[in-house]
Amino acid sequence: MRTIRVETSAATILLTEAPEPKVRDRQSGEIAKDAISGEALMTIGVVYIEEGQSSLIKVTVPESGVSEGLTLGAPVSLPGLVARPWENVFSGQQRHGIAFRAAAVTPAAFPAAMGATA
């Protein structure tokens, strides 16, 4: 399925949920792995703020891409962020959504206020 690159240069992204292992099967507790590398996957929660609008999203990141020094509520960077539409049938009902994936999650700085004066 097609992935769509997400441009983040004009956005503020704040960490709202600490990284935790992505569970592939809730019954067995199996951790999701990258299909190509076999590396364990993690999920994080962020608020994505751009042009006065905000969205809470979950982002999948490979375990090696989770940087040290992440703080809840602090700004983060998500290099390589892509969105992938998905759909499936679950318990007889059609479901659909957008899955987000990034190469890494790293601490970032708050952007300077536009037009601010000292």
Side-chain angles (χ1 to χ4, degrees), residues 2-92:
R2 181 176 172 91
T3 59
I4 303 160
R5 185 174 169 267
V6 178
E7 176 58 50
T8 61
S9 63
T12 299
I13 305 169
L14 305 175
L15 186 66
T16 59
E17 294 178 30
E20 60 183 41
K22 182 174 183 172
V23 178
R24 174 180 165 91
D25 182 340
R26 290 190 177 139
Q27 289 183 325
S28 70
E30 178 187 1
I31 302 302
K33 306 253 186 221
D34 181 88
I36 297 170
S37 70
E39 183 176 3
L41 297 173
M42 307 291 282
T43 59
I44 60 166
V46 299
V47 62
Y48 184 97
I49 307 165
E50 187 175 24
E51 296 181 2
Q53 307 257 343
S54 65
S55 298
L56 290 169
I57 61 173
K58 294 272 193 180
V59 180
T60 299
V61 180
E63 188 172 33
S64 65
V66 176
S67 295
E68 295 291 324
L70 298 174
T71 304
L72 290 179
V76 293
S77 176
L78 297 170
L81 182 63
V82 294
R84 182 180 340 186
W86 61 268
E87 66 179 58
N88 64 19
V89 177
F90 183 74
S91 297

Side-chain angles (χ1 to χ4, degrees), residues 84-110:
R84 182 180 340 186
W86 61 268
E87 66 179 58
N88 64 19
V89 177
F90 183 74
S91 297
Q93 293 186 346
Q94 179 114 8
R95 298 181 61 178
H96 61 277
I98 299 173
F100 293 92
R101 176 121 181 215
V105 56
T106 61
F110 281 105

